[in-house]
Amino acid sequence: MKFTVLGSGAGLPSKDRNTQSFVIDCVLEYNEYILIDAGEALQHRILHTHIKPSKIKNIFITHLHGDHIFGLPGFLSSRAFQGGEGIPLKLYGPKGLAEWIETTFRISESTLNYPLEIIEVEPDMNIRLNNFDVRVIPLSHGIDSYAYIFKEDDKIGELQTDKLRELGIRPGPVYGEIKAGETFTHEGKVYQTSDFIGETIEGRKISVHGDTRLNSSTVYLDAIRDSDLLVHEATFLNNEKEKAHDYFHSEINHVLDVFKDVNYKQLLIVHISSRYTDEDIKQVSASIEGRAVIACDYFELPIPRNVK
């Protein structure tokens, strides 16, 4: 599994940064990509990757500002002609998303050749997706904006085949039968399967935020605690905490301060304002090295599994 950034910029795109779109690559695990936000020119950005639109089966929109949704109608339309025919798509987002999509398609006389289901989310809603529980967390951004917390199910540990061989049980279909049961019998003796299973493989946790002021409440921090990947905006990079708050956004040093005890494994900073030069970003990146990474377009980050 990996996380791909198709657009890392804030509201105004630059030559180097498109507006926000992310992909969770679950192809090896679940044969699909999960798209989060759809900045303008999304369908063009995908052309520079190996992502197949037909394998995007679920889309999550954090909020309805244009830099997060203006690429959606074009992507939905092009997916219809890029292998998506007949393959259902679910679209999750704030109230008003269905009306906007339906109006856009009606006025433009656009049609799709696959089923599209639009689910308008609510605060603290829980969604079941593949082997994920997805929690919807409300944010503070002037309009409805959400974080989506993807928590993968834990996976049973690997069968310790060396121990089975020591008992004289040779490889074959019986190994699968043993792993599927609580006990098994060999030469008249009953064994507990758990004694032949390795440590549980912990499911990954990915917390992706829409635009927001910083939230330091205990309830919120507990929700994102122990994330394998924490993705958060920092539209402001120059210690402009008050200005960020006034504009319903976040500042990078404030983000690092609030999250210092959250115990995340990786923190990815996104939604970077176009006011900052490459040199500005290089300097800030050096100052936060080891604590967070400032994303660039087409940045890819592996998300490995963990053994308890």
Side-chain angles (χ1 to χ4, degrees):
M1 190 180 295
K2 66 181 178 181
F3 191 84
T4 299
V5 178
L6 296 178
S8 60
L12 185 65
S14 69
K15 292 181 179 179
D16 298 318
R17 292 180 184 273
N18 201 55
T19 49
Q20 183 160 303
S21 297
F22 311 129
V23 170
I24 300 175
D25 182 341
C26 307
V27 171
L28 291 179
E29 295 85 355
Y30 311 113
N31 196 34
E32 79 162 277
Y33 300 97
I34 300 170
L35 176 66
I36 304 170
D37 283 343
E40 188 176 353
L42 167 64
Q43 59 180 321
H44 301 276
R45 310 298 284 183
I46 288 176
L47 294 175
H48 297 277
T49 72
H50 297 294
I51 295 168
K52 294 182 178 180
S54 62
K55 289 191 176 183
I56 294 177
K57 301 172 186 175
N58 292 276
I59 301 175
F60 291 81
I61 300 297
T62 62
H63 63 293
L64 300 184
H65 278 156
D67 54 321
H68 297 256
I69 64 170
F70 281 171
L72 189 54
F75 170 77
L76 295 177
S77 297
S78 63
R79 180 184 185 270
F81 301 99
Q82 294 175 311
E85 182 175 359
I87 301 175
L89 176 65
K90 288 187 177 180
L91 175 58
Y92 300 87
K95 184 178 180 180
L97 179 59
E99 180 184 3
W100 182 69
I101 289 293
E102 290 163 3
T103 301
T104 300
F105 274 65
R106 175 175 53 82
I107 292 175
S108 65
E109 298 186 3
S110 301
T111 58
L112 300 177
N113 59 11
Y114 57 85
L116 174 65
E117 181 181 358
I118 303 175
I119 300 101
E120 295 188 335
V121 302
E122 298 177 354
D124 302 313
M125 183 176 177
N126 288 290
I127 300 163
R128 185 64 182 170
L129 171 63
N130 293 323
N131 281 15
F132 288 101
D133 285 322
V134 185
R135 185 175 174 187
V136 181
I137 302 294
L139 303 174
S140 175
H141 189 53
I143 67 169
D144 289 346
S145 183
Y146 296 101
Y148 295 107
I149 301 177
F150 299 81
K151 178 61 177 74
E152 188 181 29
D153 295 343
D154 291 349
K155 183 179 178 182
I156 188 171
E158 297 297 326
L159 188 65
Q160 296 178 325
T161 56
D162 55 334
K163 290 185 177 181
L164 294 176
R165 288 193 182 94
E166 289 175 6
L167 293 180
I169 303 175
R170 299 180 62 80
V174 66
Y175 278 14
E177 295 169 5
I178 289 172
K179 190 172 183 180
E182 293 184 0
T183 63
F184 66 94
T185 302
H186 178 64
E187 295 183 346
K189 184 176 180 180
V190 178
Y191 295 88
Q192 295 293 320
T193 301
S194 58
D195 293 335
F196 296 82
I197 298 293
E199 291 185 78
T200 298
I201 301 171
E202 188 174 3
R204 289 157 283 198
K205 184 175 181 179
I206 306 166
S207 300
V208 184
H209 294 71
D211 295 358
T212 185
R213 288 171 171 168
L214 258 294
N215 186 342
S216 57
S217 73
T218 301
V219 172
Y220 163 71
L221 294 179
D222 283 345
I224 64 170
R225 192 176 307 280
D226 299 322
S227 292
D228 292 88
L229 174 60
L230 185 53
V231 182
H232 200 282
E233 69 122 306
T235 309
F236 294 83
L237 301 179
N238 288 335
N239 292 303
E240 298 173 286
K241 177 180 174 181
E242 291 77 15
K243 189 173 182 180
H245 186 271
D246 290 343
Y247 284 91
F248 290 90
H249 282 293
S250 300
E251 188 276 330
I252 194 167
N253 293 294
H254 191 201
V255 172
L256 290 167
D257 182 57
V258 169
F259 291 165
K260 64 181 184 296
D261 297 320
V262 168
N263 194 36
Y264 58 84
K265 289 186 173 62
Q266 300 181 94
L267 173 58
L268 190 62
I269 300 297
V270 297
H271 205 264
I272 308 303
S273 171
S274 59
R275 80 191 70 181
Y276 300 112
T277 65
D278 289 345
E279 186 58 34
D280 293 332
I281 294 170
K282 183 178 179 180
Q283 291 179 4
V284 175
S285 294
S287 72
I288 64 171
E289 187 174 0
R291 293 182 292 166
V293 172
I294 298 177
C296 59
D297 287 16
Y298 300 115
F299 180 83
E300 294 185 345
L301 189 64
I303 312 171
R305 282 189 177 273
N306 307 293
V307 177
K308 287 184 176 180

